[in-house]
Amino acid sequence: IPDSYSEGTLRGSLILYNGRIHTMDEHNTVASVVAIDDGKIVYVGNRSSDAGARFLSTATTTTTTKPRRINLHGRMAVPGLIDCHNHIVLLGNRPGYHTPLENAYSIADALSTLTSRATAVPAGEFITTIGGFHPNQFTERRLPTLAELDAALPHHPVFISYGFTGPAVTNTLGKTFFSAVTPTPLIAANGSIPLGTANGAALLALRALTTPSSSRRSVQAAMAYAASLGVTTHL
């Protein structure tokens, strides 16, 4: 679709017809027409006239002009990005309330992302970031400190590791938790946790907290995060 129709926010209004639309329902239905109103699918079927009628009959439509019609000429249309090697299960198995920091470019960005995440996390629950980023992407070229994490997240223990082997960092609430587990990970006064054995002990203690319910919640969060970026296919 030309840039002039992309609208930048994925909220265009259009009808794709004469295509192969794999619905992935229980019957593996393949439709030929799909209608999108303000970025939301409002019709999937085989009649362009019915698709067009959706824009007239949908009371909540925000469309102010007629949708653009695109003839797919028998081609397949697939939404979003396709990346069949993205470790979605590994992402979904992160302990705590995993918070991706891949789009943070400074300590302030990271703290803002974590603080925003905390608003939807019960007090006392771990907020974690395990992998998917590197301190070198931050302007400061380092991890946040215990004091910075305490100020940003006073009601949640935090564990941030830029790999499964570390190094990592925690805050005061996290340090209190880790000091009571066996084996007890080595934690410096500034909250830093060395890579290797110490980081492994901390991660193992967090994994011991997981339950079927928390795993299900974590997987749903991982899928929602991927979808928010346009990644719609997982393997």
Side-chain angles (χ1 to χ4, degrees), residues 172-192:
T172 297
L173 290 177
K175 190 174 182 180
T176 299
F177 168 81
F178 290 125
S179 66
V181 302
T182 303
T184 303
L186 176 64
I187 302 176
N190 67 353
S192 63

Side-chain angles (χ1 to χ4, degrees), residues 220-234:
Q220 291 172 336
M223 294 178 70
Y225 178 73
S228 75
L229 300 177
V231 180
T232 57
T233 300
H234 307 288

Side-chain angles (χ1 to χ4, degrees), residues 96-113:
Y97 285 76
H98 179 69
T99 307
L101 291 178
E102 60 191 18
N103 293 312
Y105 299 100
S106 66
I107 297 298
D109 284 350
L111 295 176
S112 176
T113 300

Side-chain angles (χ1 to χ4, degrees), residues 66-143:
K66 291 182 179 180
R68 184 170 190 237
R69 294 176 178 266
I70 299 176
N71 188 342
L72 295 178
H73 298 288
R75 296 183 178 88
M76 183 189 302
V78 181
L81 305 174
I82 299 302
D83 178 0
C84 289
H85 186 165
N86 60 2
H87 296 262
I88 188 67
V89 174
L90 197 59
L91 179 61
N93 280 331
R94 297 288 200 274
Y97 285 76
H98 179 69
T99 307
L101 291 178
E102 60 191 18
N103 293 312
Y105 299 100
S106 66
I107 297 298
D109 284 350
L111 295 176
S112 176
T113 300
L114 295 168
T115 301
S116 177
R117 174 69 156 149
T119 61
V121 176
E125 295 288 339
F126 256 98
I127 293 177
T128 61
T129 300
I130 302 169
F133 82 104
H134 194 283
N136 284 346
Q137 75 192 50
F138 301 154
T139 302
E140 299 84 355
R141 301 291 192 272
R142 63 173 175 83
L143 290 171

